[in-house]
């Protein structure tokens, strides 16, 4: 019996499909598995700059706590600084916190280093996309050295509780903020005050496309989109922005701005401020990570035509 050529071709195609990865699928015998998504590590806080947006909280629902947050140069895990959180409960209160909000992150794992001789435990709060806060207790090893903490489940753990947002105990990713709690109940030996140092706070997330393919601005191309502002809330300013070939730090062009009776002529928004503004907009946490990145790298935001405060 003669097998037609088209039947042979069809069988060969089926064989190739079952033996080769296709669209992220791997065939293993009779089982088809999805290839593991590539991951990357992103820094949430290294405490190396004053511009890191960490905030101190005093647990004001229990009045009396005093606290302080500083970037500490005397001890650190890496770099030149750590973040030092101090709590003093001698006049009342139950806890102090160190918190940070950020653009939504699909955190597969949260990692940080901690050092203390005053506390036997801390608590961690992670805020999900619904605004729900998930809190769990972290028991520390009795040591004066730095110790690493890794958390991959946020709606669970020791002494788990939840509140705000969906308030259902379910994780609604992505995450949009974390908070470390130093509690009076976690201090050792009956102490009423103590210090905790944090460093190298990071998250493991799915691989993302680069936010910027090149420098934010080097003024070498006419399509390097910078926009002049005249501070119109204070009428009368005049200004000009040009790419100047007569004076440059690198490349062929620099930037020059002239002004007359100017309150301010050009306003350059730092990337960190941009992220902070976005994270404060209620609609932004609902965006997918990739959508947010596309939005940030879009012309509307760079040219000032889109203002998240108006959304």
């Amino acid at each position: 019996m003669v097998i037609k050529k088209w039947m042979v071709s069809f069988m060969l195609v089926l064989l190739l499909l079952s033996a080769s990865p296709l669209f992220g699928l791997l065939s293993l015998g009779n089982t088809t598995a999805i290839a593991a998504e590539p991951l990357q590590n992103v820094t949430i806080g290294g405490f190396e700059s004053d511009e890191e947006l960490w905030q101190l909280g005093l647990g004001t629902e229990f009045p009396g706590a005093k606290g302080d947050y500083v970037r500490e140069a005397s001890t650190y895990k890496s770099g030149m600084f750590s973040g030092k959180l101090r709590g003093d409960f001698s006049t009342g209160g139950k806890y102090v916190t160190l918190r940070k909000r950020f653009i939504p992150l699909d955190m597969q794992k949260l990692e940080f280093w901690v050092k203390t001789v005053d506390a036997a435990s801390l608590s961690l709060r992670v805020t999900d996309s619904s605004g729900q806060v998930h809190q769990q207790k972290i028991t520390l090893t009795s040591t004066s050295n730095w110790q690493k903490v890794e958390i991959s489940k946020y709606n669970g753990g020791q002494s788990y509780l939840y509140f705000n947002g969906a308030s259902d105990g379910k994780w609604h990713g992505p995450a949009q903020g974390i908070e470390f709690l130093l509690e009076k109940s976690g201090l050792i030996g009956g102490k009423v005050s103590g210090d905790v140092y944090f460093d190298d706070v990071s998250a493991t997330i799915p691989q993302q496309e680069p936010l910027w393919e090149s420098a934010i601005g080097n003024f070498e191309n006419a399509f390097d989109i910078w926009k002049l502002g005249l501070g119109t809330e204070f009428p009368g300013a005049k200004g000009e922005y040009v790419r100047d070939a007569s004076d440059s730090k690198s490349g062929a062009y620099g930037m020059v701005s002239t002004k007359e009776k100017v309150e301010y002529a050009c306003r350059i928004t730092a990337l960190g401020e941009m992220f902070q503004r976005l994270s404060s907009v209620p609609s932004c946490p609902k965006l997918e990570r990739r959508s947010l990145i596309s939005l940030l790298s879009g012309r509307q935001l760079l040219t000032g035509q889109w203002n998240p405060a108006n959304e």
Side-chain angles (χ1 to χ4, degrees):
M1 181 174 61
V2 179
I3 302 178
K4 294 183 178 181
K5 290 184 178 180
W6 71 266
M7 294 181 64
V8 174
S9 299
F10 181 70
M11 293 174 67
L12 287 174
V13 170
L14 289 179
L15 180 62
L16 288 172
L17 288 177
S18 65
S20 303
L22 180 63
F23 300 113
L25 297 181
L26 298 176
S27 180
L28 305 173
N30 294 325
T31 302
T32 299
I34 299 176
E37 186 175 15
L39 301 175
Q40 71 181 82
N41 191 265
V42 296
T43 299
I44 294 176
F47 306 97
E48 297 302 306
S49 169
D50 283 327
E51 296 178 358
E52 288 195 27
L53 304 174
W54 292 94
Q55 296 179 314
L56 174 71
L58 298 178
T60 53
E61 67 270 35
F62 304 106
K66 292 178 284 187
D68 188 31
Y69 159 65
V70 296
R71 292 170 54 240
E72 180 60 56
S74 66
T75 182
Y76 46 81
K77 180 64 177 67
S78 67
M80 298 297 292
F81 292 89
S82 65
K84 176 184 175 183
L85 175 64
R86 177 169 179 77
D88 183 347
F89 311 104
S90 58
T91 58
K94 290 190 175 182
Y95 68 90
V96 295
T97 75
L98 183 61
R99 60 178 177 265
K100 186 176 185 180
R101 289 178 61 87
F102 40 75
I103 63 171
L105 292 175
D106 182 12
M107 296 198 308
Q108 307 295 304
K109 181 170 63 175
L110 174 68
E111 304 176 15
F112 59 93
W113 289 83
V114 60
K115 180 178 180 180
T116 181
V117 294
D118 298 321
S121 66
L122 302 170
S123 286
L124 170 70
R125 289 176 176 173
V126 182
T127 303
D128 67 21
S129 62
S130 77
Q132 182 173 202
V133 179
H134 303 266
Q135 178 175 321
Q136 61 182 286
K137 181 179 178 181
I138 300 170
T139 299
L140 301 176
T141 303
S142 179
T143 177
S144 59
N145 298 323
W146 285 97
Q147 53 186 295
K148 188 177 185 180
V149 177
E150 299 182 358
I151 303 293
S152 57
K153 182 177 176 60
Y154 311 114
N155 60 327
Q158 186 179 0
S159 303
Y160 172 70
L161 58 89
Y162 57 87
F163 54 91
N164 293 343
S167 194
D168 57 5
K170 299 179 181 179
W171 176 250
H172 303 275
Q176 59 175 324
I178 61 172
E179 189 170 11
F180 300 117
L181 282 71
L182 172 58
E183 300 167 290
K184 180 180 179 181
S185 61
L187 297 176
I188 61 176
K191 292 184 176 182
V192 294
S193 65
D195 301 331
V196 181
Y197 300 85
F198 298 95
D199 207 353
D200 293 344
V201 184
S202 66
T204 301
I205 66 172
Q207 187 76 41
Q208 304 292 337
E209 297 176 0
L211 181 57
W212 305 104
E213 294 182 357
S214 60
I216 292 177
N218 56 23
F219 308 100
E220 296 302 303
N221 299 297
F223 53 81
D224 196 351
I225 307 168
W226 293 94
K227 186 177 182 181
L228 176 72
L230 296 178
T232 53
E233 64 269 38
F234 304 104
K238 303 174 185 177
E240 181 185 21
Y241 158 68
V242 297
R243 292 167 56 237
D244 186 11
S246 66
D247 186 13
S248 63
K249 174 66 172 62
S250 64
Y253 290 90
M255 179 190 76
V256 59
S257 176
T258 60
K259 57 185 180 179
E260 179 182 353
K261 297 181 181 178
V262 178
E263 176 69 24
Y264 49 83
C266 295
R267 186 181 301 167
I268 301 175
T269 302
L271 182 62
E273 289 180 311
M274 191 187 306
F275 280 177
Q276 179 64 9
R277 290 174 64 198
L278 284 169
S279 66
S280 67
V281 179
S283 61
C284 282
K286 300 176 184 177
L287 295 174
E288 292 293 332
R289 170 75 173 170
R290 293 184 184 274
S291 299
L292 185 60
I293 286 179
S294 298
L295 181 63
L296 281 171
S297 59
R299 292 171 62 93
Q300 284 187 324
L301 185 59
L302 293 176
T303 58
Q305 296 171 8
W306 182 81
N307 184 355
N310 295 331
E311 289 295 307

